[in-house]
Amino acid sequence: MSSLIQKAVLCLAILFSIISETNAQFLSQIGLKDSVYSEVLNESRQFFVQFPEKFDPQSDKKYPVAFILDGEILFPALTVTQKFYMGGFLPDMILIGVSNQENRTRDLTPSVVEPSYGPNGGAAQFLRFLGEELIPYVEENYPASDYRTLIGHSYGGLFSIYTLIHQPELFENYLAIDPSLDWDDQLMLKQAKEAFTKEGLNGKSLYISLSGQLHMQKPEITIDNVMDDDSEFTMFARSNIAFAELCRVYSDQGLAFDWEIFPKDLHGTVPLPSLRNGMISLFDWFQMEKTELFNIPETPTSELLDILNYRAEKLRSHFGFEVPPFPEDLITISGYMNMDMGQMEKAKMFFDQGLKYFPKSANMYDSMADYFEANNDIVSALEFVKKAYEISGSDYHRDRMGELTLKIK
């Protein structure tokens, strides 16, 4: 490693340390702080946990999990991304921010490079910690499924790709933000050429981003001519681009791959747009389809039911467990919208599906009661309100039972 790159690495490490100390005091406002003692690393490791907005600790529901490295810095950005794009673009997830405030270079780099400004080359041990200790701890203590996403920036991005190469089964999705693929004379590029010829990448997804900081001294160096520059100033960008080209070659073997450059962003600012675009890219298959048919009165009930069933099966095949095809609110609204249009068959279908996928929801039983009351079936309406009351115990449902009972008399 050249002295120039060493200095850049040192500056970045100092910057991470300063930002970490500044942000750490606020993380309690965003996520639950937890820690696990690592026998592998012989030290305690801190991490942060954020639950979905409507998380119910009494529920037995399991969630996909996204692990983000450098959690003390990047965790807030991930939580904001999740908050704005959940539902239509991203599934409800448990977010885990892994702290790399200490021993960052040691843990996230895949080989020993000399001379250096500190310990490095400990990625294999850190990967053991994730796979043998942190992930089992998370799954034992939180409602986490085994559908996982790994996110990293800079050295964290390098580590994400290292994990994809050496233990791809550990995560389904990999997001590498401006990864330091120049490390050790493009070691990951060399290892990937061998690893990508083997099986094991089928069903895996990788998103890589590159900042517009292609040359620190020459702004005339752009994405169009950077590969023609053989100086150490462009080694970082050229390594990223070369790795992307390799991934495109092997994408036919099952690796879903996406790559993007953010020309107006620097290495330190590129995580924010990369998290947004990267998570949407990795979960492209999750995004809702044909929802416009819900708003067209002429759409047959059978076609709407087919849309719900298709999506439910698609989510089950990806996650490995049953997932409601649409959020409860959307199913409920669709039912009421069809009631307003006088399309009672469609309304009942949506409420039936709501009860199928949300059997513990008092709101869904109450909505079905509205359907029956609108159709002058007061006896059935009362039965569904009783079920809603059994779940909620609310004064509203108790009073409604009384009102419906009077109508029957």
Side-chain angles (χ1 to χ4, degrees):
M1 184 185 293
S2 70
S3 59
L4 176 64
I5 297 176
Q6 286 178 332
K7 291 177 181 177
V9 169
L10 178 60
C11 290
L12 183 62
I14 293 173
L15 177 61
F16 266 98
S17 177
I18 293 173
I19 297 176
S20 299
E21 292 176 2
T22 302
N23 287 354
Q25 59 181 314
F26 300 109
L27 282 173
S28 60
Q29 299 178 14
I30 299 173
L32 172 70
K33 190 179 295 184
D34 200 352
S35 65
V36 59
Y37 184 81
S38 170
E39 299 288 347
V40 173
L41 301 175
N42 194 31
E43 61 192 25
S44 181
R45 298 304 298 253
Q46 188 178 80
F47 62 95
F48 310 95
V49 184
Q50 182 75 16
F51 296 109
E53 280 195 350
K54 296 184 179 180
F55 171 71
D56 179 5
Q58 303 303 318
S59 171
D60 57 0
K61 181 178 180 180
K62 298 284 187 178
Y63 295 92
V65 188
F67 292 79
I68 187 165
L69 305 172
D70 294 314
E72 65 280 352
I73 301 170
L74 300 179
F75 194 58
L78 179 60
T79 59
V80 169
T81 301
Q82 175 67 17
K83 179 178 180 179
F84 276 88
Y85 289 93
M86 68 177 183
F89 293 90
L90 303 177
D92 285 338
M93 287 185 282
I94 292 176
L95 309 180
I96 304 292
V98 183
S99 176
N100 293 102
Q101 187 170 357
E102 298 181 9
N103 300 314
R104 181 175 186 272
T105 303
R106 180 200 71 183
D107 291 341
L108 301 182
T109 54
S111 59
V112 176
V113 173
E114 298 291 350
S116 69
Y117 289 97
N120 59 83
Q125 290 294 95
F126 190 68
L127 181 54
R128 280 191 59 203
F129 159 68
L130 288 184
E132 298 176 15
E133 297 177 324
L134 180 59
I135 289 175
Y137 178 89
V138 168
E139 293 183 352
E140 181 179 349
N141 292 277
Y142 300 99
S145 73
D146 60 0
Y147 188 94
R148 312 182 196 102
T149 298
L150 179 62
I151 307 168
H153 167 235
S154 192
Y155 280 167
L158 173 68
F159 179 84
S160 296
I161 290 175
Y162 172 83
T163 303
L164 173 65
I165 292 173
H166 291 274
Q167 202 170 342
E169 71 280 1
L170 201 56
F171 298 88
E172 298 299 318
N173 304 313
Y174 295 83
L175 202 169
I177 303 170
D178 218 15
S180 303
L181 292 170
D182 56 335
W183 179 267
D184 198 1
D185 194 26
Q186 300 181 324
L187 177 63
M188 288 301 94
L189 183 62
K190 299 170 185 175
Q191 292 185 355
K193 290 179 180 179
E194 178 181 353
F196 285 2
T197 61
K198 304 175 183 178
E199 297 182 359
L201 297 181
N202 189 44
K204 304 300 177 183
S205 299
L206 170 65
Y207 173 94
I208 301 178
S209 67
L210 175 67
S211 76
Q213 197 172 11
L214 305 179
H215 193 298
M216 290 184 289
Q217 295 182 348
K218 296 181 179 180
E220 63 269 21
I221 297 294
T222 68
I223 191 64
D224 297 320
N225 58 25
V226 66
M227 297 303 285
D228 298 327
D229 184 282
D230 59 0
S231 71
E232 63 178 315
F233 290 100
T234 57
M235 181 67 166
F236 187 101
R238 287 186 288 111
S239 301
N240 189 311
I241 296 169
F243 195 91
E245 291 300 322
L246 179 68
C247 289
R248 291 192 181 97
V249 171
Y250 288 101
S251 61
D252 293 338
Q253 298 187 11
L255 176 66
F257 175 68
D258 195 8
W259 181 90
E260 189 172 6
I261 182 173
F262 294 89
K264 295 184 178 181
D265 277 282
L266 305 177
H267 184 67
T269 65
V270 76
L272 189 58
S274 298
L275 283 171
R276 173 193 179 276
N277 289 15
M279 292 296 282
I280 291 175
S281 173
L282 293 174
F283 286 94
D284 177 70
W285 55 267
F286 178 83
Q287 295 168 30
M288 298 178 185
E289 58 280 287
K290 299 183 178 180
T291 53
E292 70 279 359
L293 296 179
F294 287 17
N295 302 319
I296 299 176
E298 292 76 20
T299 306
T301 304
S302 59
E303 185 173 356
L304 295 176
L305 182 57
D306 286 343
I307 292 172
L308 268 71
N309 290 335
Y310 169 79
R311 180 167 173 80
E313 175 57 27
K314 181 177 69 169
L315 298 184
R316 187 203 62 76
S317 66
H318 277 276
F319 289 130
F321 53 89
E322 297 294 334
V323 179
F326 294 102
E328 180 182 350
D329 291 347
L330 178 57
I331 294 177
T332 304
I333 290 171
S334 298
Y336 281 111
M337 180 180 69
N338 281 281
M339 281 181 58
D340 291 341
M341 293 189 296
Q343 300 197 347
M344 292 301 180
E345 180 187 16
K346 290 182 185 179
K348 187 172 186 300
M349 182 275 293
F350 279 111
F351 293 143
D352 280 335
Q353 294 299 301
L355 289 173
K356 174 183 176 180
Y357 292 108
F358 304 97
K360 297 181 180 180
S361 169
N363 176 66
M364 289 309 312
Y365 284 101
D366 189 65
S367 298
M368 185 64 89
D370 285 338
Y371 164 81
F372 281 113
E373 186 174 11
N375 286 273
N376 296 315
D377 186 348
I378 307 303
V379 173
S380 295
L382 178 58
E383 289 303 311
F384 278 93
V385 172
K386 286 180 179 179
K387 293 178 180 178
Y389 179 69
E390 290 174 3
I391 296 172
S392 71
S394 71
D395 293 343
Y396 168 77
H397 289 131
R398 182 195 61 203
D399 294 343
R400 191 176 183 195
M401 284 192 298
E403 293 169 1
L404 291 173
T405 300
L406 289 175
K407 287 187 177 182
I408 294 175
K409 294 178 179 180

